[in-house]
Amino acid sequence: MESSTVTFSSSSSPPPSPSPSPSPSRPQAAPADLDAVSLGRLSGNLERLLDPSFFNCTDADVVLAAGGDDAVVGVHRCILAARSNFFLAHFSSLAAAPAGEKPRLELAKLVPGGCHIGRDAIVPVLGYLYTGLLKPPPQGAAVCVDDQCSHQACRPAIDFVVESTYAASGFKIPELVSLFQRRLSDFVNRALVVVEDIVPIVLVASTCQLTDLLSQCIQRVAHSSVDSRYLEKELSDETFAKVMELRQYLSPRESDEFILGPEHAKKVRNVHKALDCDDVDLANLLLEESGITLDGALAIHHAAAYCEPKVLAQILKLKSASDSANVNLKNGSGYTPLHMACMRREPQIILSLTEKGASVQERTRDGRDALTICKRLTREKDCNSKLEKGKERSKAYLCIDILEQEIKRTSFVLERQLSDEVSVAMPLLADNFHTRLLTLENRVAFARIFFPSEAKLVMRIAQADSTQEFAGLSSANFSKLKDVNLNETPIMQSNRLRERLDALMKTVELGRKYFPHCSDVLDKFLIEESTDLFFLESGTAEDQHTRRMRFSELKDEVNKAFNKDKAAIGSSSTSSSSSPRADGKVRHGNKKARLSR
């Protein structure tokens, strides 16, 4: 994979070792060369102070807004105060910390735009204050997971420079601000840069008052065909007004207001506001009264981009949706709802759309499909976290995995596949309803133990988490499984259990469809009858002990099988799911936007 072109002066190479004592035949080094060697050695030594593995002698903490394991960066007040008037003034005004505690600087409150800065960006900027040299971005921090990308101007590369600009501007380092501004200007001028990726540059230019860069961005965005509704959500009111004024002046016939008419646009905005308030019933009422269809209001696009997953699910269930809604409809920018969901990287929405027939093959005007969009927005560090059993996966990983599995299955008939897979996965008696339900409960229960992220996602889509569990699943008294509530009629009980059975079958179907490796591991695990939760609690104490010993052995075998699956995933999708690079996470946001940066 090519490395990012976001490069700066680096102190990564070790300083040259001092020359041996001069001999009569060897000329002495010039004083300037000796100064360079000394400065290089001093810079390298100071750089070690920011390495978390080095001896911790920090006396203050910078707290990042992102949270997580890397939310705190230890710093040395004396060095920063000596090198920066900003930190000198700030540390001088700090109240004394309680005994045994370090002063904590919350970055979100310390500098404008601080909530957007991640660890990978702030450490090089702080390193510049320590050493006088600016190192290149950490491995994987400015590179996307798409092998076909040149990484010259993909979103991770842009995001890294944007975050660095926020930090340099906030810490009052003019030489770095000038350097980063030139780099951002180069991004804006590149013809291959997706216009939506310029929005973070607009935000940092506005926040840091980089007027020339902001003017350049406004010109580029105004000349593009990006949907005005997207810009209204993403940009500040002042910047959006400038873009729309310039856009209408440059090409009035291409204005959304001109095509739709102001009255139609007003009705559409009212529908979107209702969706933003999670009021699907009101949105449906507004659609019926105005005579606008779901497609005409681009309601599915809006919900996929900005609303909660449950709102999109409700829209897709509307009675009118089956008559007029097209999940593959393209908006004015050439994006389908699935494209919008991939820009947001929300796995539950992606899964809901693909279940309703959203095509993963549809492409944007510049030739990107859903998987490409998702990959080029995702840093290697965000996607390539370690695949450990029982650990939560990143949303980026789940999104890419879902899309890759959907691509593999576009040529199959889902109904026939479900029938074949269920018959292999569940060798049950067709007329034994309770046994079948018990087996499904066991399978899903073990899925939640071994693969919590995947199980949680598919259960939510199948709505299994909203149905009542089969009572007495792990009880030693099997007869309790068939107990009837005195307030519940046999018909009510049958309907309740049937609803639960359907939800669990749907859960298994989705798991096999989008997470086949995890399902294969469960298949191997469930072959042994001793994995039945009820079976483990029956028999004598000695029998139970023997079975539980075997159960522990099976868990070890599953762990080995899981590692094989992990290797198989890596061989089929090296760039998206199993690169050896380190993991991390940076997200950007805007108070008016809900799309991921």
Side-chain angles (χ1 to χ4, degrees), residues 355 405-426 505-506 508-516 519-520:
E355 280 297 291
Q405 298 306 328
E406 179 65 15
I407 290 174
K408 293 177 181 178
R409 285 158 176 76
T410 52
S411 61
F412 296 95
V413 179
L414 297 183
E415 291 81 3
R416 182 174 181 181
Q417 180 190 22
L418 171 62
S419 177
D420 293 343
E421 290 180 338
V422 169
S423 64
V424 173
M426 296 180 295
M505 290 181 63
K506 184 69 171 178
V508 174
E509 170 200 351
L510 293 175
R512 289 187 169 279
K513 180 178 179 182
Y514 293 106
F515 305 110
S519 297
D520 290 343

Side-chain angles (χ1 to χ4, degrees), residues 33 104 120 130 198 432:
D33 295 336
R104 294 173 68 86
D120 289 326
Y130 274 64
I198 296 179
N432 194 333

Side-chain angles (χ1 to χ4, degrees), residues 317-384:
K317 290 181 180 179
L318 289 177
K319 183 178 180 181
S320 58
S322 60
D323 300 328
S324 62
N326 177 10
V327 292
N328 291 311
L329 178 70
K330 293 186 176 181
N331 63 9
S333 301
Y335 292 147
T336 67
L338 184 58
H339 293 155
M340 303 297 289
C342 290
M343 293 171 65
R344 181 178 176 180
R345 285 175 292 176
E346 175 54 60
Q348 191 170 348
I349 290 181
I350 291 176
L351 194 53
S352 294
L353 289 171
T354 55
E355 280 297 291
K356 287 295 181 178
S359 174
V360 293
Q361 304 295 341
E362 291 288 342
R363 295 183 178 272
T364 60
R365 291 172 181 172
D366 57 2
R368 292 172 297 145
D369 59 14
L371 182 60
T372 301
I373 292 175
C374 198
K375 283 186 172 183
R376 293 191 179 179
L377 287 173
T378 304
R379 302 186 315 165
E380 278 192 342
K381 295 184 68 173
D382 293 338
C383 187
N384 297 327

Side-chain angles (χ1 to χ4, degrees), residues 174-425:
E175 62 272 24
L176 288 190
V177 173
S178 177
L179 171 65
F180 293 141
Q181 184 175 0
R182 292 196 300 271
R183 190 73 181 96
L184 293 175
S185 179
D186 291 340
F187 284 135
V188 177
N189 287 332
R190 289 181 181 272
L192 295 179
V193 172
V194 180
V195 178
E196 285 82 2
D197 290 344
I198 296 179
V199 170
I201 303 179
V202 176
L203 298 179
V204 71
S206 177
T207 302
C208 300
Q209 300 180 356
L210 308 177
T211 54
D212 292 341
L213 179 61
L214 180 60
S215 177
Q216 181 186 4
C217 292
I218 290 175
Q219 288 282 341
R220 174 73 188 275
V221 173
H223 282 82
S224 72
S225 61
V226 176
D227 189 68
S228 62
R229 300 178 187 85
Y230 172 81
L231 296 176
E232 186 177 11
K233 279 280 186 182
E234 298 293 324
L235 304 178
S236 66
D237 294 337
E238 181 181 358
T239 304
F240 175 72
K242 292 180 180 179
V243 170
M244 294 308 297
E245 180 181 1
L246 182 59
R247 175 177 284 189
Q248 193 169 10
Y249 173 77
L250 293 172
S251 53
R253 293 187 179 183
E254 296 181 4
S255 170
D256 293 338
E257 296 288 332
F258 182 86
I259 296 174
L260 301 177
E263 188 65 26
H264 184 280
K266 180 179 179 180
K267 294 177 180 178
V268 170
R269 281 196 296 269
N270 290 335
V271 173
H272 291 176
K273 289 179 181 178
L275 295 177
D276 289 337
C277 297
D278 296 347
D279 196 336
V280 178
D281 292 335
L282 177 58
N284 192 32
L285 180 62
L286 292 172
L287 289 171
E288 292 177 352
E289 290 182 349
S290 63
I292 302 176
T293 63
L294 286 170
D295 287 348
L298 294 175
I300 299 180
H301 286 79
H302 185 86
Y306 303 108
C307 298
E308 294 293 329
K310 64 179 182 180
V311 174
L312 176 66
Q314 293 173 10
I315 292 177
L316 295 175
K317 290 181 180 179
L318 289 177
K319 183 178 180 181
S320 58
S322 60
D323 300 328
S324 62
N326 177 10
V327 292
N328 291 311
L329 178 70
K330 293 186 176 181
N331 63 9
S333 301
Y335 292 147
T336 67
L338 184 58
H339 293 155
M340 303 297 289
C342 290
M343 293 171 65
R344 181 178 176 180
R345 285 175 292 176
E346 175 54 60
Q348 191 170 348
I349 290 181
I350 291 176
L351 194 53
S352 294
L353 289 171
T354 55
E355 280 297 291
K356 287 295 181 178
S359 174
V360 293
Q361 304 295 341
E362 291 288 342
R363 295 183 178 272
T364 60
R365 291 172 181 172
D366 57 2
R368 292 172 297 145
D369 59 14
L371 182 60
T372 301
I373 292 175
C374 198
K375 283 186 172 183
R376 293 191 179 179
L377 287 173
T378 304
R379 302 186 315 165
E380 278 192 342
K381 295 184 68 173
D382 293 338
C383 187
N384 297 327
S385 57
K386 294 181 180 179
L387 303 181
E388 297 179 2
K389 178 173 64 68
K391 299 295 184 180
E392 292 286 338
R393 312 294 179 83
S394 68
K395 285 189 174 182
Y397 172 88
L398 292 176
C399 290
I400 292 175
D401 197 24
I402 290 170
L403 292 170
E404 288 179 338
Q405 298 306 328
E406 179 65 15
I407 290 174
K408 293 177 181 178
R409 285 158 176 76
T410 52
S411 61
F412 296 95
V413 179
L414 297 183
E415 291 81 3
R416 182 174 181 181
Q417 180 190 22
L418 171 62
S419 177
D420 293 343
E421 290 180 338
V422 169
S423 64
V424 173

Side-chain angles (χ1 to χ4, degrees), residues 62-67 71 86 105-119 121-122 162-171 203-204 207-208 586-589:
V62 177
V63 183
L64 308 181
F86 171 83
L105 312 179
E106 294 187 24
L107 199 57
K109 300 178 181 178
L110 185 64
V111 299
C115 60
H116 302 304
I117 304 174
R119 184 184 183 91
I122 193 175
V162 166
E163 293 176 36
S164 301
T165 305
Y166 279 121
S169 175
F171 297 155
L203 298 179
V204 71
T207 302
C208 300
V586 170
R587 293 178 64 87
H588 299 281

Side-chain angles (χ1 to χ4, degrees), residues 421-443:
E421 290 180 338
V422 169
S423 64
V424 173
M426 296 180 295
L428 308 171
L429 296 176
D431 58 347
N432 194 333
F433 179 86
H434 289 91
T435 303
R436 185 174 188 181
L437 183 56
L438 179 61
T439 302
L440 282 170
E441 290 281 10
N442 275 342
R443 181 182 181 88

